[in-house]
Amino acid sequence: MATPDFIRTLRTSIGHHPLWLPGVSAVVLDEEGRVLLNRRSDTREWSLIGGIPDPGEQPAACAVREVEEETGVRCAVERVIVVQALTPVTYENGDVCQYMDITFRCRALGGEARVNDDESLEVGWFAVDALPELGEFGMLRIKQALMDAPTWFDPTTSE
């Protein structure tokens, strides 16, 4: 994932210290019920499309922007399906980030799925019963997107 300029600026002041950031993910479904995925250039793993909102950008608008920027697919947000604080990530350069992920179920509107930037090695549509290997993160979100259920969140409290 390319590092946004505003984060590079923050890093000049805070160094590698933990940075709490919003993040969005999109489960994009087409008219056949297939899921849009990309194989990321940084991890080489298949993943949902996602990214970091620009300062002041609404999370749903960010999801739509990221999907189009990374895959060439235009989409519309239908609903929030997951809200979850993720575990901290330490990047190769030593930067530490922790994300509050908001995942949206989205409906494809048009465009051709393709590698559209340097963040992806491959992009494609996958039938739910023929998904490439995905971690728990992606599987939970796809499961939630396919159900008519309330938004999933971790009910654990730190009391």
Side-chain angles (χ1 to χ4, degrees):
M1 178 185 334
T3 304
D5 290 338
F6 80 92
I7 293 176
R8 280 199 265 294
T9 301
L10 283 171
R11 286 289 179 201
T12 63
S13 298
I14 67 168
H16 299 300
H17 291 284
L19 186 56
W20 176 248
L21 292 168
V24 301
S25 302
V27 178
V28 182
L29 301 169
D30 70 3
E31 65 281 347
E32 298 172 36
R34 298 178 302 171
V35 179
L36 180 65
L37 300 174
N38 72 332
R39 193 160 68 87
R40 295 171 54 117
S41 58
D42 58 351
T43 65
R44 301 193 166 296
E45 295 175 354
W46 286 99
S47 175
L48 297 173
I49 312 306
I52 300 169
D54 292 328
E57 184 179 29
Q58 293 296 327
C62 175
V64 169
R65 175 181 56 77
E66 289 287 347
V67 169
E68 188 164 10
E69 283 179 0
E70 293 181 23
T71 71
V73 173
R74 293 182 320 282
C75 69
V77 169
E78 293 182 330
R79 63 186 174 98
V80 174
I81 56 174
V82 174
V83 176
Q84 183 180 30
L86 306 179
T87 58
V89 176
T90 302
Y91 292 98
E92 286 184 13
N93 67 358
D95 287 351
V96 179
C97 292
Q98 186 170 7
Y99 297 94
M100 171 62 73
D101 178 67
I102 302 169
T103 304
F104 297 94
R105 175 186 160 130
C106 301
R107 177 177 31 86
L109 298 176
E112 182 179 333
R114 66 181 184 276
V115 173
N116 207 39
D117 64 14
D118 61 356
E119 294 184 41
S120 301
L121 298 172
E122 296 178 70
V123 171
W125 292 103
F126 293 88
V128 174
D129 61 357
L131 294 170
E133 186 174 331
L134 287 174
E136 183 180 332
F137 179 92
M139 294 306 293
L140 168 70
R141 283 152 175 77
I142 292 169
K143 178 182 170 186
Q144 281 299 117
L146 298 174
M147 296 188 321
D148 186 21
T151 301
W152 182 93
F153 61 93
D154 185 344
T156 310
T157 62
S158 58
E159 292 180 30

